[in-house]
Amino acid sequence: AGLSGTEAAERLKKLGPTRLPDANRGSPVLRFLRHFNHVLSYVLLGAATVTAIIGHWIDTWVILGVVVINAVIGYIQEGRAEKALASIRNMLSPTAQVLRDGRRADIEAEHLVAGDILYLKAGDRVPADLRLLDTSNLRIEESALTGESENVEKQTDPVEEKAALGDRTCMAYSGTTVRYGTGTAVVVATGVDTELGRISEMLGEADDLTTPLIRSMNRFTRQLTAVIGVVATLLFLYGLLGNVFGINELLLAIIGLAVAAIPEGLPAILTITLAIGVRKMARERSIVRKLPAVETLGSVTVICTDKTGTLTRNEMTATSVRTCKGCYEVEGAGYAPEGRVLYDGTPVFVTDDVVLRKLARIHTYCNEAEVTQEEDGSWTAVGQPTEAALRTLAIKSGQQEEASERLDSLPFDSTHKYSAALHTFSDESELMISGAPVRLLNLCTFQMSTKGGAEPLDRAFWETQIQQGADDGQRMLGAAFRTADGESRIDPERLGDLVFVGIAGLIDPPRPEAIQAIRDCQRAGIRVIMITGDHAITASVIGKAMGIGDGSISLTGGELEAMDDDQLREAVRSCDIFARTTPEHKLRLVRALQQNGEICAMTGDGVNDAPALKQAEIGIAMGIKGTEVTKDAAEMVLADDNFATIAKAVEEGRTVYANLRKTLLFILPTNGAEALVILVAIVAGATLPVTPLQILWVNMVTAVTLALSLAFEPTEPGTMSRPPRPATASVMDKTFLWRILFVSVLIGGLTYLLYGWQSGQSDPAVAQTLAVNVLVAGQLFYLFNCRSIETRALSKGFFANPFAFAVAGILIVLQLGFTYLPFMNRVFGTTPLRIGMWVYPIGAGLLVFGLVELEKTVRRSWNRRKKSPTRDKG
């Protein structure tokens, strides 16, 4: 009779409603303020304070605007876990039909309690975890929870106590969907106690990791802030104790030094560079939800990928046919009827082979699916994937439509594991059956001979064929028939004495482009690991075909559960294929890889993947078949669910990082040159060659124009032939530090020398205007050095980035306005220069360009000499 209303109310009061708890997100104000709590914001706020102190409020508000915009972006991106949890809550069914007080009743699903008797029908979303009591052809789609690509046939017999989630055929789980049949079940878990609830809790517990770029930039900004603070303090004490300047002059000079040394435009350039990468990746069908993820892709060392749909086509395909004659090979992949049926390498058609003709006829008429060609030329299936694959097989073998009439049919049923059709043709009536080979063998007395007659069934032969196909990871479907003259209905009780025809082997084939993409990733030093809910044999076969693993080494979820954390860390070093995994297994695998120092990308489409996606440095969700939960937990969404798109995204991520390094290599020496000019003037007790406001002008125009152009540099040759950079690698290496020092001294020295020379001959305003233009010209020419860090600037790729030339023209116009427009002269304290004086900035720029190129040449020669083997002097 089910629970009584009173008992259900008491349990509901004790256990709580069947819903997942809301996330405690805290105060919106505090969550917003947290985005100001990092070193980069402190540096920017310090720069804003400096500009406010010297009274330049426009610059103050601009810098504060950058800080606030960065905080707003972070605030919007925050809460991926909360959104994912909300999406999980939306997966719960709103209503349920239960047995209460002996009567059926529709209630709100959140009022369900453990012990309720529940009714299921096609189209229902399962509202709680259930133990099935009665089923009738019940099939449930569990792909979002287990990764199982096909609907799961349910039954009531107990399974092993430690059966994997995907093998618990006597259970139905919250958030899954009934696709066929009916059932009755008892509620065994609700809310957070369900499998869906456990995933929700894991998602909340998964760590939010800082990306390698942000970690590196945080280290850099802390170091830069410390250096600026120490140098400014020492210079202040020097000036104060040495009576070099008055207190007001000294403070102004120190402020000028700080403004010169702080790269105010760096955060904006960083954001813009990442945003440009996002736009490029969107064109390649990779949608990035969080900006730093663009660069993170470039440092990935391991990609953990699902199998179905990502590495494979998610289109069942018949790849073999086994008859009494032997094994046939079937070409082609997917539902397109393109390819041949081969025997010993020779094409075979139904007109040549009587057994193949009979098998093709059975799979044509004992079949409810259709394959159709779309306007764009692609082929799609309507109906069950396995039946569509058999329909395609029949077309490939040359089967033509025959005049026939269907008298009766039996749909596939999980109890008898076959489908049947009774057809009348022009010359005979046939009962045709397709289904599980072992089940069909039990109904057969004969087998079809190579000449088309019936001969005694050789069961041992067929069992060997079934095992060989299963060892190849194929799903085996048998075909049988008998004449049925005079029959008009199918009686399941009278299906004996059938003639067994053969077996078709089906598999979800690998994507050809994914195979090449895996090779590209491996060549780039990126390891690819398959983590799937599918069976171990299937996973191993597909993995070997795609170049993942050797086809023999794999671990299942049950084996992972027997390992402690240390054992798992060792296992992930050598094993590349993990099958029959649960959400907990995937999360543990990602954490084990991270503990081994790997930077992980994790792909997924179901709610079962969400915790691991959130734990990984970059989670990649499937855009077509992925659930909203998965997309909310991921940093990136694939619009085409294709692994090859990930490889392209990795290449773009490496390009973005390379361009960020070029930007840093450009900005920091220019800031260093400005700081050096101020530093020398303070130490010498001389007038500042450039004022703080003039420095702000230089920083602003060069960041907005020159530095931005480096974000558009194309991918360099050999980008995917290099290993990933170490996660702990600093943005600054020895080459960087040397180049920064070299260029800082070069541009700063030329600026100070020309200023000193001019200040003794003309008005100080003329000397300062010349100094500013020397600084800008040096940076303009140095930009073209930075477009390639190690190789020659004047190479065949010199004109590959037209944006660099466009911004150079814009900068020249701005600088002419800075020099000659009267209102600019008033604001910045500059004065027009004689035309002949432009030879000095242009000459200084050319000298900077030439000396940096010479330095590159010397460095390349030195590095080649160090790498060359020592000659044998014996």
Side-chain angles (χ1 to χ4, degrees), residues 38 133 154 206 212 279 388 393 430 480 619 626 657 666 695 713 748 798 804:
H38 56 83
L133 304 175
K154 295 295 184 178
R279 191 181 67 179
L393 168 63
E430 280 188 355
Y657 181 74
F666 171 76
I695 288 174
E713 285 296 316
F798 184 69

Side-chain angles (χ1 to χ4, degrees), residues 28 447 452 507 616:
Q447 65 186 32
I507 199 166

Side-chain angles (χ1 to χ4, degrees), residues 779-827:
Q779 295 181 35
L780 174 59
F781 282 88
Y782 177 57
L783 168 73
F784 293 93
N785 297 121
C786 292
R787 291 182 55 203
S788 57
I789 296 177
E790 298 291 345
T791 58
R792 293 189 303 273
L794 297 173
S795 62
K796 62 181 180 179
F798 184 69
F799 296 101
N801 181 8
F803 197 73
F805 297 92
V807 297
I810 293 172
L811 178 63
I812 291 171
V813 172
L814 289 172
Q815 205 58 31
L816 289 173
F818 172 83
T819 306
Y820 292 106
L821 292 177
F823 80 91
M824 296 290 276
N825 296 153
R826 288 194 299 271
V827 171

Side-chain angles (χ1 to χ4, degrees), residues 204-371:
E205 294 168 0
D207 301 327
D208 277 318
L209 300 179
T210 306
T211 67
L213 173 66
I214 298 302
R215 289 198 298 267
S216 183
M217 291 304 298
N218 284 343
R219 283 196 304 268
F220 164 70
T221 50
R222 283 195 298 268
Q223 293 164 356
L224 179 62
T225 304
V227 170
I228 292 172
V230 170
V231 173
T233 301
L234 291 175
L235 286 175
F236 181 78
L237 293 174
Y238 168 78
L240 191 64
L241 297 177
N243 293 318
V244 177
F245 294 102
I247 186 66
N248 291 336
E249 291 178 324
L250 181 60
L251 284 174
L252 187 62
I254 295 299
I255 289 170
L257 176 67
V259 170
I262 294 173
E264 296 93 345
L266 182 58
I269 293 299
L270 176 67
T271 302
I272 292 170
T273 303
L274 293 174
I276 291 169
V278 167
R279 191 181 67 179
K280 289 181 180 178
M281 291 171 67
R283 290 199 294 263
E284 297 291 343
R285 307 186 69 78
S286 304
I287 302 165
V288 175
R289 300 180 63 249
K290 195 172 183 181
L291 282 181
V294 181
E295 179 277 332
T296 307
L297 277 165
S299 59
V300 162
T301 60
V302 174
I303 299 176
C304 302
T305 177
D306 189 17
K307 176 182 71 68
T308 305
T310 308
L311 299 178
T312 62
R313 298 173 61 98
N314 199 20
E315 296 178 352
M316 294 301 292
T317 303
T319 57
S320 70
V321 172
R322 299 170 189 271
T323 70
C324 58
K325 181 178 179 180
C327 183
Y328 302 68
E329 178 188 354
V330 184
E331 295 180 328
Y335 301 128
E338 300 165 355
R340 301 170 297 174
V341 180
L342 306 175
Y343 184 78
D344 282 344
T346 303
V348 180
F349 298 95
V350 294
T351 52
D352 310 318
D353 191 313
V354 64
V355 183
L356 181 63
R357 180 165 68 246
K358 181 66 71 175
L359 185 138
R361 176 191 266 192
I362 293 170
H363 288 321
T364 298
Y365 295 101
C366 186
N367 196 316
E368 303 297 331
E370 294 290 340
V371 291

Side-chain angles (χ1 to χ4, degrees), residues 50 57-58 88 138 148 160 202 221 259 325 352 533 552 573 643 652 660 688 788 850 868 870:
V50 169
W57 293 105
I58 294 178
I88 291 179
L138 183 65
E148 183 70 50
E160 294 182 9
M202 284 190 291
T221 50
V259 170
K325 181 178 179 180
D352 310 318
S552 61
R573 295 182 192 277
F643 185 88
E652 183 57 39
L660 285 173
L688 296 181
S788 57
S868 63
T870 304

